[in-house]
Amino acid sequence: MTREKLVVIGNGMAGCRAVQEVLKRDPDRYEITIFGAEPRVNYDRIMLSPVLAGEKAFEDIVINDEAWYAQNRITLHTGCTVEGIDLTQRVIQVAGQQAWPYDKLILATGSEPIRLPLPGSDLSGVVTFRDLDDVGAMITASANPDSRAVVIGGGLLGIEAAYGLSKRGMKATVVHLMDVLMERQLDASASFLLTEALAQKGVETVLEAQSEAIEGKDGKVTGLRLKDGRVLPCDLLVMAVGIRPSAGLAKAAGLEVNRGVVVDDGLRTSDPAVFAIGECVEHRGQCYGLVAPIWDMCRTLGEALTAGTGAYEGSALSTRLKVSGVDVFSAGKHLGGEGCEDIVFRDAGRGVYKRIVLEDGKVAGAVLFGDAADGAWYFDLMRSGQPVGDIRETLVFGQAATEGLRGLDPSAAVAAMADTAEVCGCNGVCKGEIVNAITGQGLTTLETVRAVTKASASCGTCTPLVEKLLKLSLGDAFQAQSGPKPVCGCTGHGHDEVRRRIVAEDLRSIPAAMQALEWATPDGCSTCRPALNYYLLCAWPEGYRDDRQSRFINERVHANIQKDGTYSVVPRMWGGVTSAAELRAIADVVDKFAIPTVKCTGGQRIDLLGVKKDDLPAVWSDLNAAGMVSGHAYGKALRTVKTCVGTDWCRFGTQDSTGLGVRLEKFMWGSWTPAKVKLGISGCPRNCSEATCKDIGVICVDSGYEIHVGGAAGLHIRGTEILTKVATEEEAIWTICAVAQSYRETAWYLERIYKWMDRLGIEWIRAQVADPADRKALYDRFAYSQRFYRIDPWAERVAGRDSHEFNPLSRRMEMAPA
Amino acid sequence: MNALVLDPIAWTDVGAVTDVPVRGARRVPTPTGDVAIFRTGDGQVFALVDRCPHKGGPLSNGIVHGHAVACPLHNWSISLATGHPLGADAGKGCAPTVPLQIRDGRIYLGQP
Ligand code: SRM
Ligand SMILES: Cc1cc2nc3c(=O)[nH]c(=O)nc-3n(C[C@H](O)[C@H](O)[C@H](O)COP(=O)(O)OP(=O)(O)OC[C@H]3O[C@@H](n4cnc5c(N)ncnc54)[C@H](O)[C@@H]3O)c2cc1C
Ligand code: SF4
Ligand code: FES
């Protein structure tokens, strides 16, 4: 009996697996022929990364050797590209051969790597990463001493390429368009950790980099030029920017093709005798780039070609990165979204970050970094769609921690936990230790349990469990306690702890702080981000890169937003003193930009209200030209220094209060503070500049200067308290700057000076500045920070910085469509 | 082959994804008012009419966190995916979403 002719185009992962699935079910049904363009037997493509890294040899990754083809009576044509399909004659065309007939045809042509059409992309040394020949080319290039590689594309493939090349001794750099590595699998937090882990392995990353051209000499690549002008020198350039389904052959034959070859749930193309599987396929609008869906497709196709049944319904996806020692797993809706909740766990000590995304009480996705052992478990939970409400509390700790408790009510579950069960993953504390500490040492509060056992002292995620253990051990005697008020819902840490650890652990960016402090959300919220930004800026004046997106709009655009979305502009008027030239310039600006309101503020200066956002840089430019700078009326910063006329004119004046105010303002302006800071300097106790209700005030007297702190006249009315009295203007300035610096370093974000004083006490503040050496040290730190911050932000914006804040993205939709 | 299907929405290319700061926003003026385009920390892009359902605050000026924006005027938190207020202010109106497509790193807006 003649067997039906089954022809497969593509000797890759999908083609061979499909044949295996058919043989498994009905070994004698078909006469099978496989055509493969690559000159070799079927191998495991995903293991090319370890081959490149030198961790495996080609022989290790062969899936089916020649003997397999022979045993199963399969005719294999290697190095043989199929060039055409005649659907009516049911034959395929191969160069230099007769037309080859089929009864059933399987397309498994995979995909092609995308080559960016950059100038210079045809230079020698520019390669992609798809098959063994590419790997060979890369290994050859890496053999030259001191050679460098640039990989365009920070996805899975690009990172594995760079890691492999770096292991082969090349200096490798990954250049990525986005600001997140593997953005289709990871979130910003995991990407941050990955960047660090790669750096430790010698792979550098350049994010948000747009490639412009490939540079070369004598036909060989020498570097990659970026849009911003940077040139990254290299001897090898790998493009790993994505793949495109190889559907050209199918399209030319007249099969229905969109992005990929369109197939139905039976994996049949628009021609009933032709099937397609693998990366060349588009199924229900989806193209895949991973092997798991391919295995699913091949199983269905095996059914279809033998029993005539089976349907493929799409696949859920999960990814693991194959870089030794870097454990990364991602699946499903890893970024969350509308209606989703995140459970985040961070263990700074072990460099672990886990984010489990829940939707409707079920696992909808996961990102794991540093410890991906439970990846498969989360993936199972996700695919099975089982509700996880009852295991929610322990879910993030993984399968082992959860299984023991499943199905039990929470307190019974805690009672049922083994003494050896781990409660606090961060510090490795188990139930027995905690219970022993509670009963043995008579502990009654969460705080003391934390202090004694360290349980729940790090990320705080296990706090509810520890509280349950307290309750279990103490019964009604236990009342839930609270520690210091956390910064916000994203963390269990209070402000002091955050500030202390930023300095102690040398944390220098928001992602670094969030990881080390085990933040419970992926990128914080509008409460904690501005606070972290301030704490970092205060701790590292010289190097910290301000995070604009963590600032309230007023501080981002250096003006105050008004109820109608326009802005107000308040230039500095040093000590409340102005001149004809300044007033004239203000008047001109008002006319030129048709500014609707000009008003004297309660802070001795002039407010221009109702300025359009787009006009801000031009308004500032004109004010700058007349010598005026930003008044920071918008900032958690030094605001006004109100003065009275003092000895210059007043018959009661005892000191030069105006002059001191101007000196102070000129020295202190531009400094960022936890909340706004206002100063008042009065020339005598009549106090015409209201110094005794300012954050810091000075009352001049015959014998010197009384320094006052902690006043307010806003939501609360508070008179100041006298801090100290000094004899000279110099000492007054040192003391005021020292107090300001002490406030900058110890207050909580948004805590005004009077609240800071309520919390720590006037005696404490006095003690900070009493010793001249301490006072000098504080003053010096203030002065040092001012070297970086006494800069007019308006002038910077006029010069073009952050211009995107002021210009619309596009004006192309301004007109109504024709 | 597929019949040519006309897309009923007119799409306008308003710029590159990378022109919008991460965890930030840009605005696009239209005859019916501004549209705010947001880019989140995880690289997703959203478009809403640039008017807070509370008192019309320009959402493009807010702080973007997760998939939400904090309105610059009174700090309501607005979902970027739906335009609905979140948390305590849920159910109080919404900032309409605007059709948006990303193709080859460019942002295309439909008429709001
Ligand atoms: C413009 C001005 C009113 C005026 O027309 O005179 C003003 C306007 C605003 N004040 Fe004020 N305050 C102004 C002087 C004051 C004063 C008087 C003073 O500085 O001597 C006080 C009382 C003194 C004090 O600060 O204790 C004052 C206490 C407040 C408070 C309450 C602060 C508190 O901690 O109790 C707020 C609310 C806040 O900051 O959270 C506030 C907030 C505001 C805001 C920023 C409201 C806001 O968040 O949008 C207003 C911004 C308007 C704008 O766009 O310019 N403003 N505000 C004054 C600008 C002074 C300047 O030159 O910079
Ligand atoms: C370096 C690397 C690492 C990867 N790592 C992972 C991973 O960790 N996890 C994961 O899930 N996936 C990974 N992948 C993706 C995975 O390898 C692919 O999804 C899978 O190989 C696709 O199988 P396929 O059969 O559709 O295509 P392929 O395996 O590419 O097979 C297609 C074959 O068809 C041949 N062909 C094409 N056109 C013709 C023609 N006209 N005539 C004859 N032959 C033709 C090609 O030469 C090729 O050999 C990785 C890929 C690469 C390159
Ligand atoms: S008193 Fe109230 S209304 Fe007047 S400027 Fe200050 S914050 Fe605005
Ligand atoms: S206008 Fe947006 S919160 Fe009030």
Side-chain angles (χ1 to χ4, degrees), chain A residues 9-15 35-38 43 45-49 80-83 108-111 129-131 156-157 160 246 249 277-280 288-292 294 318-320 322:
Chain A
I9 307 179
N11 187 35
M13 305 280 269
F35 290 88
E38 288 185 68
Y43 61 92
R45 190 171 309 284
I46 75 175
M47 299 311 277
L48 286 177
S49 300
C80 189
T81 306
V82 175
E83 286 169 345
T109 47
S111 51
F129 188 17
R130 180 72 194 177
D131 61 24
L156 178 110
L157 230 58
E160 292 187 358
S246 300
L249 183 65
I277 44 169
E279 280 184 353
C280 63
Y288 293 99
L290 294 169
V291 293
I294 296 178
S318 71
T319 316
R320 270 177 202 276
K322 303 190 295 302

Short mmCIF file of all heavy atoms in Angstrom, two decimals, chain A residues 9-15 35-38 43 45-49 80-83 108-111 129-131 156-157 160 246 249 277-280 288-292 294 318-320 322, ligand 2:
data_model
loop_
_atom_site.label_atom_id
_atom_site.label_comp_id
_atom_site.label_asym_id
_atom_site.label_seq_id
_atom_site.Cartn_x
_atom_site.Cartn_y
_atom_site.Cartn_z
N ILE A 9 8.46 21.58 5.39
CA ILE A 9 9.45 22.60 5.01
C ILE A 9 9.95 23.25 6.30
O ILE A 9 9.19 23.92 6.99
CB ILE A 9 8.84 23.66 4.08
CG1 ILE A 9 8.17 22.99 2.87
CG2 ILE A 9 9.92 24.64 3.62
CD1 ILE A 9 7.52 23.96 1.90
N GLY A 10 11.21 23.02 6.59
CA GLY A 10 11.79 23.57 7.83
C GLY A 10 12.19 22.44 8.75
O GLY A 10 11.36 21.71 9.28
N ASN A 11 13.50 22.32 8.97
CA ASN A 11 14.03 21.24 9.81
C ASN A 11 14.40 21.79 11.18
O ASN A 11 15.42 21.46 11.74
CB ASN A 11 15.26 20.64 9.09
CG ASN A 11 15.79 19.40 9.80
OD1 ASN A 11 15.01 18.62 10.35
ND2 ASN A 11 17.10 19.25 9.78
N GLY A 12 13.54 22.68 11.69
CA GLY A 12 13.85 23.33 12.96
C GLY A 12 13.09 22.70 14.10
O GLY A 12 12.70 21.53 14.07
N MET A 13 12.86 23.52 15.14
CA MET A 13 12.21 23.04 16.35
C MET A 13 10.82 22.53 16.05
O MET A 13 10.43 21.45 16.50
CB MET A 13 12.10 24.18 17.37
CG MET A 13 13.39 24.85 17.70
SD MET A 13 14.37 23.95 18.89
CE MET A 13 13.81 24.64 20.41
N ALA A 14 10.04 23.30 15.30
CA ALA A 14 8.64 22.94 15.08
C ALA A 14 8.52 21.77 14.10
O ALA A 14 7.78 20.81 14.34
CB ALA A 14 7.86 24.15 14.57
N GLY A 15 9.25 21.87 12.99
CA GLY A 15 9.12 20.85 11.94
C GLY A 15 9.39 19.46 12.49
O GLY A 15 8.59 18.52 12.28
N PHE A 35 12.57 19.11 4.30
CA PHE A 35 13.54 20.00 3.65
C PHE A 35 13.98 21.04 4.66
O PHE A 35 13.16 21.71 5.29
CB PHE A 35 12.89 20.71 2.46
CG PHE A 35 12.62 19.81 1.31
CD1 PHE A 35 11.42 19.11 1.23
CD2 PHE A 35 13.57 19.63 0.31
CE1 PHE A 35 11.17 18.26 0.17
CE2 PHE A 35 13.32 18.78 -0.76
CZ PHE A 35 12.12 18.09 -0.83
N GLY A 36 15.30 21.19 4.80
CA GLY A 36 15.80 22.21 5.73
C GLY A 36 16.86 23.05 5.06
O GLY A 36 17.77 22.52 4.41
N ALA A 37 16.77 24.36 5.22
CA ALA A 37 17.75 25.25 4.59
C ALA A 37 19.10 25.16 5.29
O ALA A 37 20.14 25.38 4.69
CB ALA A 37 17.24 26.69 4.62
N GLU A 38 19.09 24.84 6.58
CA GLU A 38 20.37 24.76 7.30
C GLU A 38 21.06 23.43 6.95
O GLU A 38 20.40 22.40 6.85
CB GLU A 38 20.14 24.83 8.81
CG GLU A 38 19.75 26.21 9.29
CD GLU A 38 19.65 26.26 10.81
OE1 GLU A 38 20.70 26.16 11.47
OE2 GLU A 38 18.53 26.39 11.32
N TYR A 43 18.48 20.63 15.71
CA TYR A 43 19.08 20.89 17.01
C TYR A 43 18.20 21.84 17.81
O TYR A 43 17.25 22.43 17.29
CB TYR A 43 20.49 21.48 16.85
CG TYR A 43 20.53 22.79 16.11
CD1 TYR A 43 20.47 24.00 16.78
CD2 TYR A 43 20.60 22.81 14.71
CE1 TYR A 43 20.49 25.20 16.10
CE2 TYR A 43 20.61 24.01 14.02
CZ TYR A 43 20.56 25.20 14.71
OH TYR A 43 20.56 26.39 14.04
N ARG A 45 17.42 25.04 19.18
CA ARG A 45 17.84 26.41 18.89
C ARG A 45 18.02 27.22 20.17
O ARG A 45 18.91 28.06 20.27
CB ARG A 45 16.81 27.08 17.98
CG ARG A 45 17.24 28.41 17.43
CD ARG A 45 16.30 28.94 16.36
NE ARG A 45 15.99 27.99 15.30
CZ ARG A 45 16.82 27.67 14.31
NH1 ARG A 45 18.01 28.22 14.25
NH2 ARG A 45 16.47 26.80 13.41
N ILE A 46 17.19 26.97 21.15
CA ILE A 46 17.30 27.83 22.33
C ILE A 46 18.62 27.61 23.07
O ILE A 46 19.07 28.45 23.82
CB ILE A 46 16.10 27.67 23.31
CG1 ILE A 46 16.18 26.38 24.12
CG2 ILE A 46 14.78 27.70 22.59
CD1 ILE A 46 15.07 26.31 25.15
N MET A 47 19.26 26.47 22.81
CA MET A 47 20.53 26.21 23.48
C MET A 47 21.72 26.84 22.75
O MET A 47 22.87 26.65 23.14
CB MET A 47 20.76 24.71 23.65
CG MET A 47 19.68 24.03 24.49
SD MET A 47 19.35 24.90 26.03
CE MET A 47 20.67 24.23 27.01
N LEU A 48 21.43 27.61 21.68
CA LEU A 48 22.54 28.32 21.02
C LEU A 48 23.19 29.31 21.98
O LEU A 48 24.38 29.58 21.89
CB LEU A 48 22.02 29.06 19.78
CG LEU A 48 21.71 28.17 18.58
CD1 LEU A 48 21.14 29.00 17.44
CD2 LEU A 48 22.96 27.41 18.11
N SER A 49 22.39 29.84 22.92
CA SER A 49 22.98 30.80 23.87
C SER A 49 24.06 30.14 24.71
O SER A 49 25.18 30.67 24.79
CB SER A 49 21.89 31.41 24.75
OG SER A 49 20.95 32.07 23.94
N CYS A 80 18.94 22.81 1.86
CA CYS A 80 18.08 22.78 0.70
C CYS A 80 16.87 23.70 0.93
O CYS A 80 16.00 23.41 1.75
CB CYS A 80 17.63 21.32 0.56
SG CYS A 80 16.76 20.99 -0.92
N THR A 81 16.89 24.85 0.26
CA THR A 81 15.83 25.84 0.48
C THR A 81 14.69 25.62 -0.49
O THR A 81 14.89 25.57 -1.71
CB THR A 81 16.41 27.25 0.27
OG1 THR A 81 17.55 27.39 1.11
CG2 THR A 81 15.39 28.32 0.60
N VAL A 82 13.50 25.48 0.02
CA VAL A 82 12.33 25.33 -0.85
C VAL A 82 11.99 26.69 -1.42
O VAL A 82 11.94 27.69 -0.70
CB VAL A 82 11.14 24.77 -0.04
CG1 VAL A 82 9.89 24.72 -0.91
CG2 VAL A 82 11.48 23.39 0.50
N GLU A 83 11.75 26.74 -2.75
CA GLU A 83 11.60 28.04 -3.40
C GLU A 83 10.19 28.35 -3.84
O GLU A 83 9.88 29.49 -4.16
CB GLU A 83 12.57 28.15 -4.57
CG GLU A 83 13.97 28.33 -4.04
CD GLU A 83 15.05 28.20 -5.09
OE1 GLU A 83 14.74 27.68 -6.19
OE2 GLU A 83 16.18 28.59 -4.81
N ALA A 108 6.98 24.94 8.31
CA ALA A 108 7.59 25.19 9.63
C ALA A 108 8.86 25.99 9.41
O ALA A 108 9.96 25.61 9.79
CB ALA A 108 7.89 23.87 10.33
N THR A 109 8.66 27.13 8.74
CA THR A 109 9.82 27.89 8.28
C THR A 109 10.36 28.87 9.32
O THR A 109 11.31 29.60 9.07
CB THR A 109 9.47 28.68 7.00
OG1 THR A 109 8.23 29.35 7.20
CG2 THR A 109 9.32 27.74 5.81
N GLY A 110 9.72 28.91 10.50
CA GLY A 110 10.29 29.74 11.57
C GLY A 110 10.20 31.22 11.28
O GLY A 110 9.24 31.69 10.68
N SER A 111 11.21 31.95 11.70
CA SER A 111 11.19 33.38 11.43
C SER A 111 12.59 33.87 11.12
O SER A 111 13.57 33.14 11.27
CB SER A 111 10.60 34.13 12.63
OG SER A 111 11.25 33.73 13.79
N PHE A 129 21.44 36.90 15.36
CA PHE A 129 21.61 35.76 16.26
C PHE A 129 20.43 34.83 16.05
O PHE A 129 19.38 35.02 16.65
CB PHE A 129 21.66 36.29 17.69
CG PHE A 129 22.01 35.27 18.74
CD1 PHE A 129 22.60 34.05 18.42
CD2 PHE A 129 21.76 35.54 20.08
CE1 PHE A 129 22.93 33.13 19.41
CE2 PHE A 129 22.08 34.63 21.08
CZ PHE A 129 22.67 33.41 20.73
N ARG A 130 20.59 33.87 15.13
CA ARG A 130 19.45 32.99 14.88
C ARG A 130 19.88 31.53 14.76
O ARG A 130 19.24 30.65 15.26
CB ARG A 130 18.74 33.44 13.60
CG ARG A 130 17.54 32.59 13.23
CD ARG A 130 16.38 32.83 14.17
NE ARG A 130 15.35 31.81 14.06
CZ ARG A 130 14.26 31.74 14.80
NH1 ARG A 130 14.04 32.66 15.73
NH2 ARG A 130 13.39 30.78 14.63
N ASP A 131 20.99 31.29 14.04
CA ASP A 131 21.34 29.88 13.83
C ASP A 131 22.81 29.63 14.14
O ASP A 131 23.55 30.52 14.55
CB ASP A 131 20.94 29.40 12.44
CG ASP A 131 21.64 30.19 11.35
OD1 ASP A 131 22.73 30.75 11.62
OD2 ASP A 131 21.11 30.25 10.22
N LEU A 156 15.46 39.30 25.44
CA LEU A 156 16.06 38.04 25.84
C LEU A 156 17.28 37.68 24.99
O LEU A 156 18.36 37.39 25.49
CB LEU A 156 14.99 36.95 25.73
CG LEU A 156 15.41 35.54 26.05
CD1 LEU A 156 14.78 35.10 27.35
CD2 LEU A 156 15.03 34.59 24.95
N LEU A 157 17.10 37.74 23.66
CA LEU A 157 18.16 37.30 22.76
C LEU A 157 19.40 38.19 22.85
O LEU A 157 20.52 37.71 22.91
CB LEU A 157 17.61 37.38 21.33
CG LEU A 157 17.80 36.16 20.48
CD1 LEU A 157 17.16 34.97 21.14
CD2 LEU A 157 17.21 36.41 19.11
N GLU A 160 21.28 37.55 26.07
CA GLU A 160 22.00 36.28 26.04
C GLU A 160 23.21 36.37 25.10
O GLU A 160 24.27 35.81 25.39
CB GLU A 160 21.06 35.14 25.64
CG GLU A 160 20.01 34.89 26.73
CD GLU A 160 19.13 33.67 26.50
OE1 GLU A 160 19.27 32.98 25.46
OE2 GLU A 160 18.29 33.39 27.37
N SER A 246 8.75 33.98 8.91
CA SER A 246 9.15 33.70 7.52
C SER A 246 7.93 33.21 6.76
O SER A 246 7.65 32.01 6.74
CB SER A 246 10.20 32.59 7.46
OG SER A 246 11.33 32.96 8.16
N LEU A 249 7.36 32.54 1.47
CA LEU A 249 7.10 31.39 0.62
C LEU A 249 5.59 31.13 0.55
O LEU A 249 5.01 30.93 -0.53
CB LEU A 249 7.81 30.18 1.24
CG LEU A 249 7.76 28.84 0.52
CD1 LEU A 249 8.50 28.94 -0.82
CD2 LEU A 249 8.39 27.76 1.39
N ILE A 277 2.98 25.55 11.38
CA ILE A 277 3.24 25.53 12.82
C ILE A 277 4.49 26.33 13.14
O ILE A 277 5.31 26.58 12.25
CB ILE A 277 3.48 24.07 13.32
CG1 ILE A 277 4.41 23.39 12.34
CG2 ILE A 277 2.19 23.33 13.54
CD1 ILE A 277 4.92 22.08 12.84
N GLY A 278 4.62 26.70 14.37
CA GLY A 278 5.85 27.35 14.80
C GLY A 278 5.79 28.86 14.64
O GLY A 278 4.72 29.46 14.59
N GLU A 279 6.96 29.44 14.56
CA GLU A 279 7.03 30.89 14.55
C GLU A 279 6.54 31.53 13.26
O GLU A 279 6.34 32.73 13.21
CB GLU A 279 8.49 31.33 14.80
CG GLU A 279 8.87 31.28 16.25
CD GLU A 279 10.26 31.81 16.51
OE1 GLU A 279 11.02 32.11 15.56
OE2 GLU A 279 10.61 31.92 17.70
N CYS A 280 6.37 30.73 12.20
CA CYS A 280 5.91 31.34 10.95
C CYS A 280 4.40 31.59 10.97
O CYS A 280 3.85 32.21 10.08
CB CYS A 280 6.30 30.48 9.74
SG CYS A 280 5.56 28.84 9.74
N TYR A 288 3.92 33.83 17.77
CA TYR A 288 4.69 33.46 18.96
C TYR A 288 6.19 33.45 18.67
O TYR A 288 6.60 33.22 17.53
CB TYR A 288 4.27 32.07 19.45
CG TYR A 288 2.86 32.02 20.00
CD1 TYR A 288 1.80 31.56 19.22
CD2 TYR A 288 2.59 32.46 21.29
CE1 TYR A 288 0.51 31.52 19.72
CE2 TYR A 288 1.31 32.42 21.80
CZ TYR A 288 0.27 31.94 21.02
OH TYR A 288 -1.00 31.90 21.52
N GLY A 289 6.98 33.64 19.71
CA GLY A 289 8.44 33.62 19.55
C GLY A 289 9.11 32.75 20.60
O GLY A 289 10.26 32.97 20.94
N LEU A 290 8.36 31.82 21.14
CA LEU A 290 8.91 30.94 22.17
C LEU A 290 8.51 29.50 21.85
O LEU A 290 7.59 29.26 21.07
CB LEU A 290 8.34 31.33 23.55
CG LEU A 290 8.75 32.70 24.08
CD1 LEU A 290 7.92 33.06 25.30
CD2 LEU A 290 10.23 32.72 24.44
N VAL A 291 9.18 28.55 22.50
CA VAL A 291 8.94 27.16 22.12
C VAL A 291 7.70 26.54 22.77
O VAL A 291 7.09 25.65 22.17
CB VAL A 291 10.14 26.25 22.41
CG1 VAL A 291 11.31 26.62 21.52
CG2 VAL A 291 10.55 26.29 23.86
N ALA A 292 7.29 27.01 23.93
CA ALA A 292 6.15 26.34 24.58
C ALA A 292 4.91 26.28 23.68
O ALA A 292 4.29 25.22 23.54
CB ALA A 292 5.84 27.02 25.92
N ILE A 294 4.89 26.21 20.59
CA ILE A 294 5.20 25.30 19.47
C ILE A 294 4.91 23.87 19.89
O ILE A 294 4.34 23.09 19.12
CB ILE A 294 6.66 25.50 19.03
CG1 ILE A 294 6.82 26.91 18.48
CG2 ILE A 294 7.08 24.44 18.02
CD1 ILE A 294 8.22 27.26 18.06
N SER A 318 5.46 31.92 29.22
CA SER A 318 6.37 32.28 30.30
C SER A 318 7.77 32.29 29.73
O SER A 318 8.06 31.65 28.74
CB SER A 318 6.26 31.27 31.44
OG SER A 318 6.82 30.04 31.05
N THR A 319 8.64 33.06 30.34
CA THR A 319 10.00 33.22 29.84
C THR A 319 10.99 33.06 30.98
O THR A 319 10.74 33.54 32.08
CB THR A 319 10.21 34.65 29.30
OG1 THR A 319 9.09 35.02 28.52
CG2 THR A 319 11.45 34.74 28.46
N ARG A 320 12.10 32.43 30.68
CA ARG A 320 13.24 32.41 31.60
C ARG A 320 14.46 32.88 30.83
O ARG A 320 14.64 32.52 29.68
CB ARG A 320 13.52 30.98 32.08
CG ARG A 320 12.79 30.61 33.33
CD ARG A 320 13.07 29.16 33.68
NE ARG A 320 12.01 28.65 34.52
CZ ARG A 320 11.99 28.80 35.85
NH1 ARG A 320 12.98 29.42 36.46
NH2 ARG A 320 11.00 28.35 36.54
N LYS A 322 18.40 32.80 30.06
CA LYS A 322 19.44 31.79 30.23
C LYS A 322 20.80 32.45 30.40
O LYS A 322 21.65 32.42 29.50
CB LYS A 322 19.45 30.84 29.03
CG LYS A 322 18.09 30.17 28.81
CD LYS A 322 18.14 29.05 27.77
CE LYS A 322 18.48 29.53 26.37
NZ LYS A 322 17.56 30.53 25.81
C1 LIG C 2 19.58 32.17 20.51
C2 LIG C 2 18.14 31.84 20.75
C3 LIG C 2 17.70 31.59 22.05
C4 LIG C 2 16.37 31.28 22.29
N1 LIG C 2 15.99 31.03 23.56
C5 LIG C 2 14.71 30.66 23.80
C6 LIG C 2 14.28 30.32 25.09
O1 LIG C 2 15.04 30.39 26.07
N2 LIG C 2 13.01 29.91 25.29
C7 LIG C 2 12.13 29.83 24.23
O2 LIG C 2 10.97 29.45 24.45
N3 LIG C 2 12.49 30.17 22.99
C8 LIG C 2 13.76 30.59 22.73
N4 LIG C 2 14.14 30.90 21.46
C9 LIG C 2 13.13 30.88 20.39
C10 LIG C 2 12.97 29.47 19.82
O3 LIG C 2 14.21 28.99 19.45
C11 LIG C 2 12.04 29.52 18.62
O4 LIG C 2 10.75 29.89 19.09
C12 LIG C 2 11.92 28.22 17.88
O5 LIG C 2 13.16 27.79 17.45
C13 LIG C 2 11.00 28.36 16.68
O6 LIG C 2 10.87 27.15 16.04
P1 LIG C 2 10.48 27.08 14.51
O7 LIG C 2 10.55 25.65 14.14
O8 LIG C 2 9.22 27.79 14.28
O9 LIG C 2 11.62 27.86 13.78
P2 LIG C 2 13.12 27.43 13.62
O10 LIG C 2 13.59 26.67 14.79
O11 LIG C 2 13.86 28.66 13.25
O12 LIG C 2 13.10 26.48 12.40
C14 LIG C 2 12.81 26.94 11.10
C15 LIG C 2 13.73 26.24 10.13
O13 LIG C 2 13.19 26.41 8.84
C16 LIG C 2 14.23 26.61 7.93
N5 LIG C 2 13.66 27.24 6.73
C17 LIG C 2 13.10 28.46 6.62
N6 LIG C 2 12.66 28.68 5.35
C18 LIG C 2 12.95 27.55 4.65
C19 LIG C 2 12.75 27.16 3.28
N7 LIG C 2 12.16 27.97 2.41
N8 LIG C 2 13.18 25.94 2.91
C20 LIG C 2 13.77 25.11 3.80
N9 LIG C 2 13.98 25.42 5.10
C21 LIG C 2 13.57 26.64 5.52
C22 LIG C 2 15.19 27.46 8.68
O14 LIG C 2 16.47 27.38 8.13
C23 LIG C 2 15.12 26.86 10.09
O15 LIG C 2 16.07 25.88 10.25
C24 LIG C 2 15.46 31.23 21.19
C25 LIG C 2 15.89 31.53 19.92
C26 LIG C 2 17.21 31.84 19.67
C27 LIG C 2 17.66 32.12 18.28
#
